[in-house]
């Protein structure tokens, strides 16, 4: 039996592992990926952080800047996560897919495709990338065009010359809209009117405002 099982080896799981390492507890990180990097291994080609590297670290070690890039690419982030895991010798096990967690007389039994782990505590750090939510809408079953979720988007070229509806008001939708609209006739559908910020406002400003509020 071990003290803690962390499910998920992306940034949340690695951050948990950093603090667990400092406690001296016995723990493992179970990750379904074939290598480190979390969901950043699978983003679309132009995906970037919303903030510069100095604003995007995990605990203990700043993210190195990416030469020639103000906003790091997905590949740079994935490499940082891999280096972070190695730097702190975090006990990642992969590929290990967790299929159940159950209680058993004061402990947790974590069932996986590579056996069971028994632990005193479990931290879920799986994220949502592998289980995307695809909402239902009328006519979905008879629509003959392409229906694509963010997790399956890679480049805008496949939509060149087409009419494309992009649904969602978050950063991912806005980024995909910005590049698909350069090659296609696009319509952006959001649950509420989008709120646009000045070009000089990015994650740095948001983090600074949040930090000031927390300090107050």
């Amino acid at each position: 039996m071990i003290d803690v099982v962390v499910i998920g080896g992306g940034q949340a799981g690695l951050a948990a592992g950093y603090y667990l390492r400092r406690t001296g507890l016995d723990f493992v990180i179970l990750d379904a990926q074939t290598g480190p990097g979390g969901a950043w291994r699978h983003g679309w080609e132009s995906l970037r952080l919303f903030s510069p590297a100095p604003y995007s670290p995990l605990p203990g070690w700043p993210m190195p800047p990416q030469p020639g890039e103000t906003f790091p690419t997905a590949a740079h982030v994935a490499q940082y996560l891999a280096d972070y895991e190695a730097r702190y010798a975090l006990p990642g096990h992969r590929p290990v897919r967790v299929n159940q967690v159950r209680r058993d007389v004061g402990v947790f039994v974590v069932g996986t495709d590579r056996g069971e782990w028994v632990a005193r505590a479990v931290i879920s750090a799986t994220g949502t990338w592998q289980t995307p939510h695809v909402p239902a809408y009328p006519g979905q079953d008879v629509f003959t065009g392409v229906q694509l979720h963010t997790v399956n988007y890679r480049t805008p070229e496949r939509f060149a010359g087409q009419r494309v509806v992009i649904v969602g008001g978050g950063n991912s939708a806005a980024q995909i809209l910005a590049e698909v609209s350069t090659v296609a006739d696009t319509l952006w559908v959001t649950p509420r009117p989008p709120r646009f910020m000045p070009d000089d406002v990015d994650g740095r400003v948001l983090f600074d405002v949040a930090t000031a509020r927390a300090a107050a």
Side-chain angles (χ1 to χ4, degrees):
M1 184 171 67
I2 60 177
D3 294 309
V4 184
V5 166
V6 179
I7 305 174
Q11 58 260 40
L14 297 184
Y18 170 83
Y19 287 109
L20 288 170
R21 172 69 75 204
R22 291 161 66 90
T23 66
L25 293 173
D26 183 23
F27 70 98
V28 295
I29 299 175
L30 307 182
D31 188 26
Q33 303 289 330
T34 57
W40 291 95
R41 294 161 50 89
H42 309 292
W44 59 92
E45 290 186 8
S46 65
L47 178 62
R48 295 173 180 274
L49 279 176
F50 183 53
S51 305
Y55 284 75
S56 308
L58 292 183
W61 185 41
M63 179 185 292
Q66 183 175 6
E69 302 287 350
T70 301
F71 301 100
T73 63
H76 182 78
V77 177
Q79 185 60 55
Y80 166 69
L81 296 180
D83 294 343
Y84 185 94
E85 184 174 332
R87 179 185 182 92
Y88 293 108
L90 299 178
H93 295 256
R94 57 173 62 91
V96 178
R97 183 169 295 277
V98 174
N99 49 51
Q100 66 170 331
V101 178
R102 68 179 189 275
R103 284 186 177 274
D104 186 5
V105 193
V107 298
F108 292 96
V109 179
V110 181
T112 79
D113 58 358
R114 291 177 57 185
E116 292 186 339
W117 273 263
V118 179
R120 295 184 174 89
V122 173
I123 296 175
S124 176
T126 58
T128 59
W129 191 263
Q130 294 186 75
T131 55
H133 172 63
V134 180
Y137 59 87
Q140 186 178 37
D141 56 335
V142 296
F143 177 65
T144 58
V146 174
Q147 302 177 73
L148 197 67
H149 190 277
T150 300
V151 301
N152 302 119
Y153 174 76
R154 291 295 177 268
T155 65
E157 283 73 24
R158 66 176 297 184
F159 303 105
Q162 302 182 32
R163 299 174 62 191
V164 181
V165 176
I166 296 174
V167 181
N171 288 342
S172 295
Q175 289 184 33
I176 292 173
L177 170 71
E179 63 180 25
V180 172
S181 63
T182 64
V183 300
D185 180 12
T186 55
L187 174 67
W188 191 17
V189 178
T190 64
R192 60 186 63 85
R195 296 180 61 187
F196 295 100
M197 296 183 294
D199 290 340
D200 59 345
V201 174
D202 57 26
R204 288 170 289 194
V205 176
L206 300 181
F207 283 130
D208 288 342
V209 170
T211 300
R213 287 180 177 176

